[in-house]
């Protein structure tokens, strides 16, 4: 029987958690990255990093399985990832956002998740290739 392809074999997916204020949300992001076989998670801005009991409580060990890195400068990270061939996307609703299902799955992607209250700043949005939203019914 042939080996099944992993999602990342078809396309690399990187998540960038920027300015996430809740450590419980950071733990949830780690679990989601683990479940969806995300290649790497970058924690930027004010986003908390392990080891923290609040992260571990929700992450349930995924903070040890998911490759992650803290970066100070999101702008430099975006430029670096673009040079490596990643399309840079922002998870953001509103004018100009497209449903996440419509993106080109043939390209490596870096998806920026923003602050729970304020979202992603205009200065960061000016750097992205597209804004995607998860349709809520």
């Amino acid at each position: 029987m042939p080996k099944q392809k992993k999602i990342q074999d078809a396309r690399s997916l990187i998540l960038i958690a920027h300015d996430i204020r809740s450590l419980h949300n950071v733990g949830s992001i780690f679990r989601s990255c683990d479940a969806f076989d995300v290649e790497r998670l970058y924690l930027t801005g004010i986003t908390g990093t392990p080891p923290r009991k609040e992260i571990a409580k929700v992450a349930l060990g995924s903070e040890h399985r998911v490759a992650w890195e803290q970066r100070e400068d999101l702008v430099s990270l975006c430029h670096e990832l673009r040079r490596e061939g990643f399309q840079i996307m922002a998870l953001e609703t509103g004018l100009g956002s497209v449903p996440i299902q419509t993106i080109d799955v043939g390209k490596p992607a870096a998806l920026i998740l923003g602050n729970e209250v304020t979202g992603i700043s205009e200065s960061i949005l000016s750097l992205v290739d597209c804004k995607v939203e998860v349709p809520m019914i």
Side-chain angles (χ1 to χ4, degrees):
M1 180 164 44
K3 183 180 173 187
Q4 285 188 319
K5 282 180 96 174
K6 287 184 171 183
I7 291 172
Q8 69 187 29
D9 291 339
R11 175 184 63 148
S12 296
L13 178 61
I14 289 175
L15 245 58
I16 302 169
H18 183 66
D19 285 344
I20 306 298
R21 62 183 177 81
S22 165
L23 295 174
H24 291 110
N25 287 345
V26 175
S28 179
I29 292 167
F30 268 100
R31 283 193 64 197
S32 295
C33 286
D34 197 15
F36 289 101
D37 202 20
V38 168
E39 180 180 323
R40 178 171 295 277
L41 170 62
Y42 288 98
L43 306 172
T44 63
I46 65 167
T47 304
T49 62
R52 293 292 300 263
K53 67 180 180 178
E54 299 91 342
I55 293 172
K57 180 179 182 178
V58 180
L60 298 175
S62 60
E63 73 275 29
H64 304 293
R65 291 186 295 273
V66 172
W68 67 274
E69 193 176 321
Q70 182 180 30
R71 289 290 187 95
E72 294 296 319
D73 186 7
L74 177 56
V75 173
S76 295
L77 176 59
C78 287
H79 290 305
E80 177 185 326
L81 292 171
R82 184 168 284 116
R83 282 191 303 273
E84 293 175 13
F86 284 84
Q87 61 179 331
I88 311 298
M89 303 181 300
L91 186 62
E92 190 71 41
T93 59
L95 189 62
S97 292
V98 298
I100 197 164
Q101 311 89 305
T102 64
I103 63 167
D104 179 1
V105 295
K107 292 182 178 179
L111 180 62
I112 302 170
L113 312 176
N115 182 274
E116 299 92 332
V117 175
T118 59
I120 300 171
S121 72
E122 287 299 322
S123 62
I124 298 301
L125 288 175
S126 70
L127 299 173
V128 304
D129 298 310
C130 65
K131 296 188 297 183
V132 296
E133 62 184 27
V134 176
M136 305 299 277
I137 299 174

